[in-house]
Amino acid sequence: VAIRFDDDLDAVDWVATKVALAADDFDNGRSPEQLRRSFRQSQHVQFGHDGAELVAMGRLLSDGVCNAYLLDVWTSSNHRRRGIASQLVRRLADAVPGQHIGLQTDDRGDFYDALGFAEQPEFWSTVSGRWLDGEPG
Ligand SMILES: CC(C)(COP(=O)(O)OP(=O)(O)OC[C@H]1O[C@@H](n2cnc3c(N)ncnc32)[C@H](O)[C@@H]1OP(=O)(O)O)[C@@H](O)C(=O)NCCC(=O)NCCS
């Protein structure tokens, strides 16, 4: 079945999406509304649909000049290893030609390696205050 890609935020059922992410153990605590806002406020988003079902998504923060950051890349577990996330990440990368794209991953280096990303050791991070505390749920 061909996967249809688009960037249509209004077509996404965020409650169902949160349920699907949680079922795949890929829920980092955002409410459906916080999930929607984090996509809405990203410069570039992509969704993959199999018929009516949302089966993949990802988003990219970008300054529009030189730096971008890739986030929330997910393919539903029953659609994996068919090249869907690869296509989705390529579409996001094509939106920021000439820009450096960073990302953080704990255990999916295999996937990013296959896409030509190189590991950069010593990524440092902190949370400002408490996780998800800055915005209403
Ligand atoms: C990582 C993830 C997005 C990959 O989605 P996908 O649609 O299955 O990815 P693709 O089919 O495009 O995979 C492309 C290549 O990546 C590599 N790869 C992907 N998943 C892999 C796995 N589980 N083990 C080893 N290699 C893997 C393979 O080289 C694969 O090519 P191949 O299938 O021809 O061998 C998906 O497994 C997922 O949603 N995982 C949970 C969420 C997550 O960890 N997201 C990334 C957060 S940083």
Side-chain angles (χ1 to χ4, degrees):
V1 188
I3 301 300
R4 184 173 49 80
F5 291 94
D6 67 27
D7 61 358
D8 184 1
L9 289 145
D10 296 330
V12 176
D13 177 339
W14 294 101
V15 173
T17 301
K18 165 139 177 128
V19 170
L21 292 174
D24 271 359
D25 204 18
F26 196 56
D27 176 6
N28 69 358
R30 279 167 290 177
S31 66
E33 172 57 20
Q34 287 173 324
L35 206 50
R36 183 189 72 80
R37 277 210 308 281
S38 57
F39 273 78
R40 166 80 62 197
Q41 291 169 181
S42 300
Q43 281 75 19
H44 303 283
V45 300
Q46 280 292 314
F47 303 102
H49 308 270
D50 180 356
E53 186 189 355
L54 180 77
V55 297
M57 61 188 205
R59 63 191 179 96
L60 199 57
L61 308 181
S62 167
D63 61 18
V65 178
C66 51
N67 283 97
Y69 195 78
L70 182 63
L71 288 146
D72 288 341
V73 175
W74 167 78
T75 298
S76 83
S77 47
N78 55 354
H79 283 74
R80 288 183 190 165
R81 303 305 289 268
R82 299 191 210 165
I84 295 174
S86 299
Q87 249 184 287
L88 188 141
V89 168
R90 280 195 201 99
R91 292 172 70 95
L92 289 171
D94 285 349
V96 293
Q99 296 184 34
H100 180 270
I101 304 174
L103 67 93
Q104 191 274 328
T105 184
D106 292 331
D107 55 5
R108 280 279 74 99
D110 41 20
F111 168 66
Y112 293 107
D113 186 62
L115 278 170
F117 286 74
E119 185 179 2
Q120 289 213 274
E122 297 222 25
F123 178 83
W124 292 56
S125 69
T126 188
V127 173
S128 171
R130 277 181 39 188
W131 175 241
L132 293 180
D133 240 12
E135 292 273 357

